[in-house]
Each structure stands twice: as C-alpha cells, then as structure tokens.
Amino acid sequence: MNELVSIAERIAARLIERKQTIAVAESSTGGLISAALLAVPGASAYFIGGGVIYTRDARRVLMDIPNEAMKGIRSASEPYAKLLASQIRARLATDWGLSETGAAGPAGNRYGDAAGHSCMALAGPMDAVITLETGSSDRQANMQAFAKAALNLLLENLR
C-alpha cells in the first residue's frame, strides 16, 4: 500500500494545485485506488467519491448503466472502462473520472479474460485507456498492480 500512497501523494498535489476533483469506479482492485487517494491528508479537497462496481447489479444501481447500454460492450474491456470513467465523472460532477475493470484471479473471468487482465480508463480534460496483462494468477499481487497502473495513468495525464 505504501507504493500506492506514494503515487497518490503526487496526484493529490497536482489536483489540489489545479483545484480539480476526481471520482473513482473500480472493480477488481476492490477499493485500493480509492483507499490510496484517501490515505493522503487533505483528500477532501479533491476526492469526491466512488465505488466498487463489482457486479451487474452494482453497475445498474450505483452507476445507472442499464443492461441495454451494455449492448455490444463486455465487462473487463476498454469500452466498458471508458463508460465507467465517464459515468462516474458525470454522476459525481468531477473534473476527472477514473475506472478499473478486470480479472484479479486466481482464475480468469467469465468473459474469457485470463487472470491478470485489467482495463483502466480516465475521463476528463484528457481521456485515456490502457489494458494491463500481468500474466499472473496471484490475486493480491494483481489487485496491487492494477491499482498502481490506474493511479499512474491518472498521474501521467496530470502532467
């Protein structure tokens, strides 16, 4: 967690300096992205909120993304990550929306992705999306790697 908080401290400084806010929609990281951002003192200046969107029900109820909106989009994909990032940004009226969706392991997901697969997206003044394949089935290590990649995606786009 220390490595995640170290990245979050740099993110916090940039967001505070710019007077910008962020919201997070994460899945297989289980809240690690939000926890890192919230571990920085003064987080209330930039962190508005977020959620662990782990199931279809959570997607529908918490994100207000109906099943019909998912037509042609599968979970744990770049299009879905983009949708989550833009939806959390819009729902919480923030400058930035950050999302993560994937398969932490030890097995892959029902969509055919192997353990260690994750897609992350950023919506805001700049949009970005990446896919990470760790090649590992270690659930906890993947969760950490996914959270680190998502935080670094945000940090890189705040430069």
Side-chain angles (χ1 to χ4, degrees), residues 66-142:
N67 291 334
E68 305 81 58
M70 291 296 293
K71 194 169 195 161
I73 300 175
R74 68 174 184 80
S75 295
S77 68
E78 288 189 359
Y80 181 59
K82 288 181 191 179
L83 177 61
L84 282 177
S86 63
Q87 187 73 352
I88 196 71
R89 178 183 184 222
R91 287 184 65 77
L92 295 181
T94 57
D95 297 293
W96 298 94
L98 180 61
S99 71
E100 179 281 331
T101 178
N109 62 27
R110 63 179 167 195
Y111 311 107
D113 301 306
H117 167 88
S118 180
C119 297
M120 296 127 229
L122 186 62
M126 296 181 66
D127 294 341
V129 64
I130 61 170
T131 297
L132 175 66
E133 301 284 352
T134 68
S136 171
S137 62
D138 183 326
R139 185 175 185 84
Q140 291 180 17
N142 283 333

Side-chain angles (χ1 to χ4, degrees), residues 7 10-11 147-157 159:
I7 299 166
R10 290 179 282 171
I11 290 168
K148 180 180 175 183
L151 289 167
N152 277 326
L153 178 66
L154 175 58
L155 183 60
E156 290 166 12
N157 283 277
R159 292 187 179 163

Side-chain angles (χ1 to χ4, degrees), residues 43-54:
S44 60
Y46 60 87
F47 188 89
I48 303 305
V52 177
I53 312 304
Y54 201 67

